[in-house]
Amino acid sequence: MADKELARVRSKFVEKVSNALLKELLDDLLGDGVLNDGQKDSILEENSNRADKARGLIDMVRRKGEKACRMLIAHLHSRDLMLYSELGLTCGEPAQPEPQMKAAGPQMKQEWSTALLRTPKEFWEKKLNDSDVYPAAEKSIRNRVALLITNIKFTVKRLNRNGAEKDEENTEKLLIGLGYEVVKYTNLTGKQIDDAVIRFSKHPKLRETDSVVVVIMSHGKLGAVLGVNWTKEKSDDEFPINNLYEHLGTENCPALLHKPKIIIIQACRGGDKGSVLVKDGAGQDVACDDVQQPGDIDDIEEDTLEFVNKEKDFISLLSCTPDTVSYRDPVNGSLLIQYIVDVFFTFAHKEEIEKLFKRVMRRFEDFSIQNRRQMPTKDRVTLTKDFYFFPGI
């Protein structure tokens, strides 16, 4: 029921809602006839600060019954989708059928949710006792943290990634909805990206979180993401992707031991120039990187030492296969981020990460522009259990 939904999110609504949004919601409810002029004025004039006004609004609407509560939630969905998703609300959005998968025979059009669906508490409680699922206690969910790096403006202006602003906005909204505090950087060199990842590996919340998400979006080549100062003449401004696994692996980041580390990279890995849509590659003549393999380790004889895997509990989704390009719409952003948002909004409340990534990959089966194709790739998967985001818990 909508009344119970508002009761559940009351404290967080009071904490997060802005003065501007409060005034918009009051005007909406006045227009609906849920509030009259006197009630609107009393909320604004009798409460001295923003938090008290928020309490006054939500409590007055709850006293008016189920229909009024639904109308407030619907207006919140329309006015501030990010806050709506962060609160984990569902009652106010337009009724949506259970998502249907493609089946043999006539193809059914997939219905995508426009807001992040909330995990039922019963589902979460059941998974808490499942030894095949990574633990996600309520306290650890509250301490989630993510790293978001987006390169948009480059020294060479023709390399500017038009539409990447939309990717940054959509990704941040999704991560917040999934319960992550977002550490965000924009327009970094390769060295600055490396420094940002190292700083993130020392974030104080990592000891309490159940997982981390790292999203990097830029131009790229095989094995590396390019910094904003990259040019064909001076091509050393890059960040080796392997550094992610080094900085966040067990040796350098013990706080993330046995915790899922989810990496998403939107960048080309080589290939020809794109057509119609902008490609995330800096040029067709970028050379490939050699991957350095670790050397042998001397035998250790001390019986008291405990050994753990150097690289474990990672899963990465790269936007394309080796030596190929990724496509980005200059208005709506990259296809990968658009598809991730669709899939996660619709299925993250009940499906684990590998299945979510597989659904994203499936979206690309039908993608084609003048015979050009793109296929994301899962990489360096070392998860030993299922990981669920449990949005809304």
Side-chain angles (χ1 to χ4, degrees):
M1 294 176 62
D3 174 62
K4 292 182 178 179
E5 285 280 275
L6 288 183
R8 176 181 61 81
V9 304
R10 180 180 182 273
S11 60
K12 198 165 187 179
F13 175 84
V14 170
E15 175 189 354
K16 297 287 186 179
V17 69
S18 66
N19 268 317
L21 180 57
L22 277 173
K23 292 177 181 178
E24 291 174 341
L25 294 173
L26 285 167
D27 287 339
D28 290 334
L29 294 171
L30 180 64
D32 294 335
V34 173
L35 302 178
N36 58 39
D37 288 314
Q39 291 167 331
K40 175 187 172 183
D41 291 341
S42 70
I43 291 172
L44 292 174
E45 296 172 5
E46 294 176 11
N47 298 292
S48 58
N49 58 54
R50 180 203 55 79
D52 287 340
K53 292 173 185 176
R55 291 188 189 94
L57 171 60
I58 198 169
D59 291 343
M60 184 175 290
V61 170
R62 287 185 61 209
R63 289 195 294 269
K64 289 179 174 287
E66 178 71 12
K67 185 176 179 181
C69 292
R70 284 187 175 275
M71 295 178 82
L72 172 57
I73 296 174
H75 288 308
L76 183 58
H77 178 270
S78 174
R79 292 287 187 182
D80 193 332
L81 187 56
M82 183 177 291
L83 178 58
Y84 176 92
S85 299
E86 187 175 356
L87 295 175
L89 292 166
T90 57
C91 288
E93 62 194 75
Q96 297 187 29
E98 181 71 13
Q100 299 293 318
M101 293 305 299
K102 292 183 178 179
Q107 296 297 301
M108 300 284 290
K109 180 177 175 59
Q110 174 68 60
E111 296 288 340
W112 301 106
S113 176
T114 58
L116 191 62
L117 300 182
R118 181 169 172 261
T119 295
K121 189 174 182 180
E122 298 78 12
F123 179 84
W124 169 65
E125 290 174 340
K126 180 180 178 181
K127 294 299 182 183
L128 280 178
N129 299 317
D130 190 337
S131 61
D132 291 327
V133 175
Y134 282 100
E138 189 169 0
K139 180 180 178 181
S140 67
I141 292 175
R142 296 288 178 267
N143 282 282
R144 284 178 173 174
V145 60
L147 176 64
L148 172 59
I149 298 174
T150 312
N151 281 350
I152 304 171
K153 304 293 184 182
F154 286 73
T155 300
V156 179
K157 291 185 178 180
R158 66 177 178 81
L159 297 180
N160 288 349
R161 301 178 61 247
N162 297 323
E165 299 92 340
K166 192 68 174 177
D167 286 339
E168 183 180 53
E169 175 188 340
N170 288 339
T171 303
E172 183 177 18
K173 179 171 69 175
L174 174 63
L175 291 171
I176 290 173
L178 293 171
Y180 291 86
E181 173 190 319
V182 180
V183 179
K184 184 170 68 171
Y185 298 92
T186 307
N187 299 332
L188 301 185
T189 65
K191 175 64 164 56
Q192 288 170 334
I193 294 174
D194 195 69
D195 291 342
V197 176
I198 292 174
R199 283 195 298 273
F200 183 74
S201 73
K202 304 178 188 306
H203 196 289
K205 278 193 172 183
L206 297 191
R207 294 199 175 277
E208 299 295 336
T209 188
D210 61 358
S211 60
V212 295
V213 179
V214 176
V215 183
I216 301 179
M217 298 182 282
S218 184
H219 291 301
K221 69 181 208 179
L222 190 61
V225 170
L226 305 187
V228 293
N229 291 336
W230 187 93
T231 66
K232 287 186 178 181
E233 295 73 28
K234 188 179 180 181
S235 58
D236 60 347
D237 184 23
E238 57 187 47
F239 168 74
I241 292 173
N242 190 64
N243 284 12
L244 284 169
Y245 305 93
E246 292 289 333
H247 297 329
L248 300 178
T250 305
E251 183 176 1
N252 294 316
C253 189
L256 290 179
L257 179 64
H258 304 315
K259 298 175 182 179
K261 295 162 279 285
I262 300 152
I263 296 170
I264 297 172
I265 297 178
Q266 164 60 37
C268 282
R269 304 173 74 187
D272 297 329
K273 292 182 178 179
S275 176
V276 180
L277 299 182
V278 182
K279 77 184 185 69
D280 275 338
Q284 65 186 59
D285 56 349
V286 178
C288 298
D289 285 341
D290 293 325
V291 179
Q292 299 296 322
Q293 299 297 333
D296 295 332
I297 302 175
D298 293 334
D299 292 336
I300 302 295
E301 295 182 354
E302 290 87 347
D303 293 335
T304 57
L305 293 180
E306 178 185 359
F307 293 93
V308 294
N309 292 296
K310 182 177 180 180
E311 182 176 316
K312 178 177 167 289
D313 307 303
F314 281 94
I315 184 170
S316 303
L317 185 68
L318 309 184
S319 58
C320 56
T321 52
D323 302 315
T324 62
V325 301
S326 303
Y327 293 98
R328 169 174 34 86
D329 186 287
V331 175
N332 297 315
S334 66
L335 297 176
L336 179 72
I337 300 303
Q338 292 181 57
Y339 292 171
I340 284 176
V341 170
D342 285 345
V343 168
F344 280 43
F345 270 19
T346 308
F347 293 105
H349 68 294
K350 64 178 183 179
E351 293 186 353
E352 50 88 21
I353 186 64
E354 290 203 67
K355 192 166 185 179
L356 294 173
F357 279 174
K358 189 177 292 184
R359 287 189 184 275
V360 173
M361 295 166 69
R362 196 178 301 168
R363 289 289 304 272
F364 284 86
E365 287 183 330
D366 298 325
F367 165 72
S368 177
I369 295 179
Q370 298 178 353
N371 296 322
R372 289 170 170 83
R373 310 284 287 188
Q374 178 181 341
M375 178 53 65
T377 306
K378 287 191 291 183
D379 191 43
R380 294 173 77 155
V381 180
T382 53
L383 295 180
T384 58
K385 301 179 181 181
D386 295 336
F387 173 71
Y388 293 83
F389 286 104
F390 300 119
I393 294 300

